[in-house]
Amino acid sequence: EPEVTQTPSHQVTQMGQEVILRCVPISNHLYFYWYRQILGQKVEFLVSFYNNEISEKSEIFDDQFSVERPDGSNFTLKIRSTKLEDSAMYFCASSEGLGGHEQFFGPGTRLTVL
Amino acid sequence: GEDVEQSLFLSVREGDSSVINCTYTDSSSTYLYWYKQEPGAGLQLLTYIFSNMDMKQDQRLTVLLNKKDKHLSLRIADTQTGDSAIYFCAETPLYNQGGKLIFGQGTELSVKP
């Protein structure tokens, strides 16, 4: 069964460093998403991406964040200068369409900023 | 603003029914979802309901939607120990063009044998 994969499963970085979180969405999906979950808090939407551009982004997704689909398979989230409060589980998701189409989630990358 | 709220914990005995509740604030919601998260795994869609429906049944799962009270519930019949997980309620606002899901904080279901 097709699935969304994410690497690495755990990333530890120093404050101020750049990190790139990688995702491989399901191959025939057209919509891609990033969410994050700070420990003990809700899963929060960060950004959605369609047709090689951002469809929607949340207030959290400021200039420190960027997304890219560098080739036909990967979807990346870059955080330019990490802060302590960026420590969270980051989930990638993809879907065939919007509305009632299921968003398939990856297992997440745990980012720890020291 | 948009908000989705759930109680944090629910404990039931194996074989009993579980009812997980959710309230939401956005009256323009189009789809409401239930996701399940097992330890170390991503979120898995269990079921969803369109906002013009009152009820949806899928095997052991029953979703009830009370639009007036903005209340959504998930009933799991004959709960098994394998149902132990965190259950997230989520909604998609009507105006949303980007597919954003707004999640509750999740209800941790513990099933005791």
Side-chain angles (χ1 to χ4, degrees):
Chain A
E1 187 175 322
E3 58 181 13
V4 177
T5 58
Q6 291 185 243
T7 53
S9 56
H10 191 186
Q11 172 94 46
V12 181
T13 189
Q14 294 289 327
M15 191 169 58
Q17 295 296 303
E18 174 183 286
V19 295
I20 297 176
L21 309 183
R22 301 180 192 280
C23 169
V24 179
I26 294 172
S27 62
N28 64 331
H29 285 184
L30 301 176
Y31 296 81
F32 313 112
Y33 313 85
W34 284 101
Y35 294 83
R36 79 171 185 191
Q37 185 180 28
I38 295 171
L39 189 64
Q41 296 186 26
K42 295 183 180 184
V43 176
E44 300 172 292
F45 169 80
L46 292 177
V47 66
S48 59
F49 191 86
Y50 168 72
N51 200 25
N52 277 324
E53 58 184 31
I54 291 174
S55 304
E56 185 176 6
K57 59 183 181 179
S58 72
E59 293 166 356
I60 303 166
F61 195 88
D62 61 20
D63 292 344
Q64 293 298 312
F65 291 87
S66 62
V67 289
E68 194 179 27
R69 190 154 160 81
D71 52 42
S73 60
N74 290 284
F75 179 51
T76 62
L77 174 69
K78 183 194 294 186
I79 309 174
R80 285 190 187 78
S81 177
T82 49
K83 307 185 195 65
L84 295 176
E85 54 265 36
D86 293 328
S87 295
M89 182 72 90
Y90 288 80
F91 293 105
C92 172
S94 69
S95 66
E96 285 184 301
L98 297 177
H101 287 271
E102 178 177 356
Q103 290 186 23
F104 289 80
F105 282 76
T109 293
R110 179 165 298 285
L111 176 65
T112 302
V113 182
L114 302 175
Chain B
E2 309 143 349
D3 195 19
V4 179
E5 295 291 332
Q6 299 175 241
S7 53
L8 296 181
F9 301 102
L10 176 65
S11 180
V12 301
R13 292 233 169 258
E14 191 173 22
D16 288 349
S17 291
S18 307
V19 180
I20 302 171
N21 295 300
C22 170
T23 57
Y24 58 97
T25 57
D26 189 351
S27 58
S28 72
S29 297
T30 53
Y31 290 93
L32 296 126
Y33 305 82
W34 284 103
Y35 276 83
K36 177 183 180 182
Q37 185 183 32
E38 297 185 58
L43 289 84
Q44 176 197 0
L45 181 66
L46 287 178
T47 187
Y48 68 92
I49 189 167
F50 189 55
S51 58
N52 67 353
M53 298 167 65
D54 297 322
M55 186 182 95
K56 181 177 180 180
Q57 186 151 4
D58 184 1
Q59 299 182 338
R60 291 192 297 125
L61 305 179
T62 303
V63 179
L64 293 177
L65 175 61
N66 181 327
K67 289 181 283 295
K68 174 175 167 290
D69 294 337
K70 297 180 192 162
H71 182 265
L72 182 75
S73 67
L74 174 70
R75 179 176 178 268
I76 306 173
D78 187 25
T79 316
Q80 303 298 306
T81 54
D83 294 324
S84 293
I86 300 176
Y87 291 79
F88 292 92
C89 169
E91 57 137 352
T92 302
L94 177 64
Y95 63 81
N96 173 246
Q97 298 300 311
K100 170 173 81 173
L101 291 175
I102 299 166
F103 284 89
Q105 59 269 64
T107 299
E108 184 175 348
L109 175 64
S110 173
V111 183
K112 301 191 185 320

